[in-house]
Amino acid sequence: MRRVHEFSIAEALLAQVLRHAPTGAQVREVEIRVGALRGIEPEALQMSWEAVTHETAVAGCTLKMDLQPWTITCPECGRSWTSPIPFVDCTCGNTAPAPVGGDELDLVSMTVDEEET
Amino acid sequence: MSGQTRTVRLPIAERVLEANDEIAAGVRVELARRSIFAIDLIGAPGSGKTALLETTLRALSGRRRPAVLVGDLATRRDGDRLARWCDRVIQISTGEGCHLEAGQVRLALGQVDLEGVDLLFIENVGNLICPVGFDLGQTAKVGLFSLTEGDDKAAKHPYLVTAADLLLLNKIDLAPYLSFDRAAFEADVHLLNPHVPILEVSATTGAGLEAWLAWLDRGVARARGASAT
Ligand SMILES: Nc1nc2c(ncn2[C@@H]2O[C@H](COP(=O)(O)OP(=O)(O)OP(=O)(O)O)[C@@H](O)[C@H]2O)c(=O)[nH]1
Ligand SMILES: [Mg+2]
Ligand SMILES: [Zn+2]
Ligand SMILES: [Zn+2]
């Protein structure tokens, strides 16, 4: 597949998941949190994840993405709201309220099936 | 007895690029120890990263002891161009990789004599998105946009704009031929990053170079001061 920006992130995530997976456990789901600044295309990351995990110990493991929106603040009227895109107009008529996004890219949790002892 | 499984959620809370960031932190410590001001130069393919470095290295000759790392997908061309102006140039072939990673920088730094070097330029792979998220251990990130790309490119690449310590707007010599709205570009930049300076330059004519060189001088002075304490 084409080398998209999301591919290297999927590769780094896979290495990290394999590092954290308890021995003998089957990883079912991986949950990540992604700040708006990262500009991640969820479909591209999902496809990359499937590609990099294919035929590995975590093949078939679900990737859950918690995509953080932009926080928009309007200095004219004091309103603040969230938006999937950074450049939006305010209802007060201001065409340039300020967008603030996070740059986090974190592995939040892993859900695993463990053998009962 | 086996067959009985239970599902558990394990909280992790770790950065996905933790492994890269850790190497970058090591590089940063080493560069600081050597009082080197290191720049990660990020811009689109063809924005003029190599051209700017050529002009800059020529202007700095005799004044500074720079070293250059240059990431390139498939060729040695950029490295060869830069080697005409600086004898400490390391080419990093990234192959398929669309960005540099800290491990590649650490490896390349091991191949160059850093004795007396005060300024390190790292030309990242031509790409406005991917390189921004990978810390290389640099002291400053410089984003390079150019007039030919269009005035909407800052708005379309908010991560670079917010992460940059300095933005350069290159190919200013072409302004008469293009309908690039500099005020609109600047307004988008400052909505995303209110304090980042923007310097207009032309790598080919040398216009605006003094302000860029002065910015570099201040960075070198700061790097020196920081390691003296
Ligand atoms: N007119 C004009 N042309 C420029 C300027 N800077 C660079 N160019 C031209 O733009 C083209 C690309 O320049 P490079 O320096 O190779 O760009 P780059 O960003 O290093 O490209 P990659 O490394 O391939 O990503 C060349 O033909 C340069 O001569 C400038 O300030 N003015
Ligand atoms: Mg180049
Ligand atoms: Zn408003
Ligand atoms: Zn990349």
Side-chain angles (χ1 to χ4, degrees):
Chain A
M1 71 184 279
R2 194 168 69 88
R3 248 339 254 222
V4 289
H5 151 61
E6 286 76 5
F7 196 84
S8 30
I9 290 166
E11 284 181 318
L13 180 61
L14 172 64
Q16 186 181 30
V17 166
L18 293 173
R19 203 161 57 236
H20 282 285
T23 21
Q26 185 64 44
V27 184
R28 293 298 173 201
E29 186 180 88
V30 164
E31 181 191 7
I32 60 170
R33 180 164 40 236
V34 185
L37 280 173
R38 290 277 171 177
I40 299 270
E41 295 273 1
E43 298 79 17
L45 184 56
Q46 199 63 252
M47 278 175 57
S48 300
W49 178 247
E50 280 163 31
V52 301
T53 54
H54 183 68
E55 288 181 353
T56 68
V58 297
C61 157
T62 317
L63 175 61
K64 187 176 159 200
M65 287 175 255
D66 182 7
L67 301 170
Q68 301 296 302
W70 292 86
T71 299
I72 315 286
T73 332
C74 177
E76 308 274 309
C77 69
R79 254 186 221 104
S80 184
W81 67 98
T82 61
S83 159
I85 51 169
F87 290 90
V88 290
D89 295 348
C90 182
T91 48
C92 77
N94 179 10
T95 55
V100 174
D103 74 341
E104 67 271 28
L105 176 56
D106 299 328
L107 172 57
V108 176
S109 73
M110 287 169 36
T111 303
V112 302
D113 283 350
E114 281 183 335
E115 199 92 348
E116 205 93 60
T117 47
Chain B
M1 222 195 94
S2 74
Q4 288 285 74
T5 61
R6 60 168 177 194
T7 304
V8 275
R9 181 177 178 276
L10 311 170
I12 311 278
E14 183 185 84
R15 282 170 306 182
V16 173
L17 300 178
E18 174 74 18
N20 178 81
D21 293 353
E22 231 170 76
I23 300 172
V27 170
R28 183 165 288 117
V29 167
E30 174 62 11
L31 291 173
R33 192 184 65 77
R34 293 178 172 274
S35 315
I36 295 175
F37 182 52
I39 286 160
D40 181 5
L41 181 61
I42 300 176
S47 55
K49 297 178 293 300
T50 309
L52 177 80
L53 291 182
E54 287 177 286
T55 305
T56 306
L57 291 170
R58 190 169 51 216
L60 289 176
S61 80
R63 241 174 88 187
R64 293 265 166 249
R65 279 177 70 84
V68 186
L69 308 183
V70 50
D72 202 336
L73 294 169
T75 73
R76 293 198 46 86
R77 290 187 192 173
D78 286 1
D80 292 343
R81 277 166 66 188
L82 295 165
R84 293 173 51 212
W85 307 106
C86 176
D87 50 17
R88 290 166 296 270
V89 177
I90 302 288
Q91 172 94 36
I92 305 171
S93 289
T94 57
E96 290 218 297
C98 42
H99 60 272
L100 288 176
E101 295 196 9
Q104 293 169 311
V105 168
R106 186 173 61 182
L107 203 67
L109 285 177
Q111 296 163 26
V112 59
D113 179 13
L114 292 175
E115 203 48 53
V117 167
D118 49 8
L119 190 53
L120 174 71
F121 296 103
I122 307 171
E123 178 181 338
N124 218 309
V125 181
N127 186 320
L128 286 168
I129 300 173
C130 212
V132 188
F134 288 83
D135 187 5
L136 302 181
Q138 74 286 335
T139 328
K141 268 199 175 97
V142 175
L144 180 73
F145 290 98
S146 63
L147 247 56
T148 45
E149 294 162 49
D151 51 28
D152 58 352
K153 290 308 171 290
K156 288 182 177 178
H157 299 93
Y159 196 13
L160 177 57
V161 173
T162 53
D165 298 289
L166 173 73
L167 290 180
L168 296 173
L169 185 55
N170 189 31
K171 309 196 185 181
I172 207 70
D173 54 298
L174 299 179
Y177 312 103
L178 301 164
S179 57
F180 188 102
D181 185 339
R182 279 135 96 174
F185 175 83
E186 204 168 304
D188 288 342
V189 165
H190 287 139
L191 261 188
L192 290 162
N193 187 350
H195 305 296
V196 69
I198 306 173
L199 299 179
E200 298 186 345
V201 293
S202 166
T204 45
T205 68
L209 209 65
E210 305 74 33
W212 159 238
L213 296 177
W215 185 87
L216 290 173
D217 282 341
R218 288 197 295 278
V220 170
R222 245 192 342 267
R224 257 198 211 127
S227 74
T229 55

